Amino acid sequence: MEIFKAELITSSDISDIAARLRAGELCVVPTETVYGLAANALIPEAVDGIFKAKNRPNDNPLTVHIGAQSDMERFARDIPDSAYLLSQKFWPGPLTMVLLRSDLVPEKISAGAPTVALRMPDNEVACRIITAAGDPIVATSANISGSPSPTTLAHVLDDMGGKVSAIVDGGDLELGIESTVINMLTNPPRILRLGSLGVEEIERVIGPVEFDESSAPASAHRHYSIGKRAVLIKSSLEKFNEYIADKSDFAVLCFDGESFSVPHISYGGRDDSSSLGRGLFAALRELEGLEVSAVFMRCPEGDDALSAAVKARLMKTADNNFVEL
Ligand code: TXA
Ligand code: MG
């Protein structure tokens, strides 16, 4: 397993990693959201390798990552005008669009559906590797299924160490929350996963969309779990303190500057949703490592898109155990 540093990467390193992908090996690449575990979509053993490395359920399809806007037409067909508009406005960037699959994309990666999810990451090294590989490249968050996505090299090594051929170390990633997923085949288009790109920003370009996470593949599986009971609490700090006063054997997920007499980990500034997005998964992984049986989590208070995306993930960590005080 070889580790390349993104900031020092050379053209011959890019060719080397692209050749590994063409040969069916698994590689981890940074994106602007979370680290992606990538493989050649045309090699069934490579695609199987992703499912094995992540212990991912077979009913959850994989996203084809593209290195250039024009690749949209290679991998999708009958593309609606609204998808062109979104791609022009938001690619490269944290938007994944579900479209009709072209014949170049194997059925296997879409769990048998006639669709394909496409995303062009806003990361130059990732795009260069994908373009150099030439074949369609699928990628998925490089975590064990059910766990928080990786946003640092340490997370990648924890989950994928020894299971992949190469890792590109892009440092601590910029956004920390995965892309927004939208199905462009329904009318109106349907948001399947809230993410780093806000729904309002999308609506400004293509008009109203609907939100129905329950129609997303694998929505019934556990996501972002930390292996212990978790409760998401929306309240003032004062009410939160009252709520936890009679509890025992727990830790707290809190905001910067807050202090508790029990183990507590901050995920960012209370009024700074981008810091919460960047810090969320690292904080959840730290909480997972603590020897407590429960975690009480401070809920983001903002009404912006990132706060909503962070809250949606914490709801999953909490298995919908939500309290408003
Ligand atoms: O930011 C991201 O999207 C990251 C980076 C690595 O690009 N990727 C990522 O991949 O989060 P993954 O596999 O963890 O999540 C992709 C989501 C899943 O919820 C999957 O069900 C959905 O996209 N998806 C993929 N293909 C689909 C399809 N054909 N139809 C509907 N949903 C699809
Ligand atoms: Mg994932």
Side-chain angles (χ1 to χ4, degrees):
M1 189 180 79
E2 199 164 341
I3 300 180
F4 298 84
K5 274 213 166 299
E7 75 240 34
L8 303 175
I9 214 150
T10 63
S11 301
S12 83
D13 293 335
I14 299 274
S15 310
D16 175 337
I17 298 163
R20 294 175 200 238
L21 287 170
R22 269 198 307 280
E25 294 171 15
L26 304 184
C27 298
V28 175
V29 295
T31 79
E32 78 281 31
T33 59
V34 302
Y35 278 89
L37 172 63
N40 187 337
L42 300 184
I43 302 181
E45 295 77 19
V47 176
D48 284 342
I50 284 196
F51 284 92
K52 262 190 223 126
K54 289 189 63 162
N55 197 17
R56 183 177 174 97
N58 274 322
D59 59 357
N60 201 359
L62 298 171
T63 301
V64 173
H65 284 55
I66 61 178
Q69 301 260 358
S70 54
D71 282 344
M72 178 161 71
E73 287 167 339
R74 284 174 69 206
F75 304 130
R77 63 179 171 84
D78 304 332
I79 301 168
D81 290 343
S82 51
Y84 282 109
L85 286 175
L86 290 181
S87 74
Q88 282 151 14
K89 179 84 180 159
F90 298 119
W91 279 354
L95 173 71
T96 297
M97 285 193 278
V98 176
L99 296 163
L100 283 175
R101 167 162 63 77
S102 79
D103 293 340
L104 255 180
V105 180
E107 192 179 336
K108 184 181 176 72
I109 68 126
S110 297
T115 59
V116 64
L118 292 183
R119 156 161 143 80
M120 180 178 176
D122 188 11
N123 182 288
E124 199 204 327
V125 171
C127 288
R128 282 169 69 197
I129 292 169
I130 293 163
T131 300
D135 290 335
I137 298 299
V138 280
T140 169
S141 54
N143 51 281
I144 304 291
S145 277
S147 292
S149 299
T151 57
T152 70
L153 176 67
H155 300 162
V156 173
L157 290 171
D158 282 345
D159 285 15
M160 293 297 142
K163 297 181 188 174
V164 298
S165 163
I167 297 173
V168 180
D169 172 10
D172 296 356
L173 302 183
E174 208 179 309
L175 298 177
I177 295 288
E178 304 91 337
S179 62
T180 304
V181 182
I182 183 167
N183 183 352
M184 300 305 293
L185 301 172
T186 55
N187 189 10
R190 188 175 293 156
I191 304 283
L192 301 179
R193 177 175 75 185
L194 294 178
S196 282
L197 179 65
V199 174
E200 278 175 23
E201 280 183 86
I202 292 175
E203 288 187 322
R204 246 177 260 139
V205 179
I206 60 167
V209 300
E210 60 186 25
F211 175 53
D212 180 14
E213 231 184 5
S214 66
S215 68
S219 59
H221 299 300
R222 260 332 285 276
H223 294 282
Y224 313 115
S225 156
I226 53 173
K228 40 178 78 62
R229 189 169 89 84
V231 185
L232 182 61
I233 298 157
K234 186 169 183 190
S235 70
S236 64
L237 180 58
E238 197 185 352
K239 290 233 162 86
F240 185 87
N241 275 319
E242 281 168 21
Y243 179 86
I244 61 175
D246 63 347
K247 311 283 190 294
S248 60
D249 191 20
F250 66 94
V252 169
L253 175 69
C254 64
F255 300 127
D256 289 350
E258 295 179 347
S259 181
F260 299 86
S261 58
V262 296
H264 53 285
I265 290 164
S266 170
Y267 64 122
R270 200 190 62 168
D271 302 315
D272 178 1
S273 58
S274 32
S275 75
L276 296 175
R278 264 193 316 277
L280 176 67
F281 292 146
L284 289 180
R285 281 174 180 255
E286 265 190 75
L287 287 167
E288 185 168 17
L290 295 180
E291 301 220 340
V292 291
S293 54
V295 173
F296 298 110
M297 310 187 295
R298 302 266 283 126
C299 183
E301 286 164 16
D303 52 13
D304 60 301
L306 258 177
S307 296
V310 168
K311 184 180 172 201
R313 283 157 180 75
L314 287 174
M315 284 296 277
K316 293 186 173 161
T317 301
D319 210 4
N320 291 318
N321 206 343
F322 176 71
V323 180
E324 188 161 1
L325 304 172

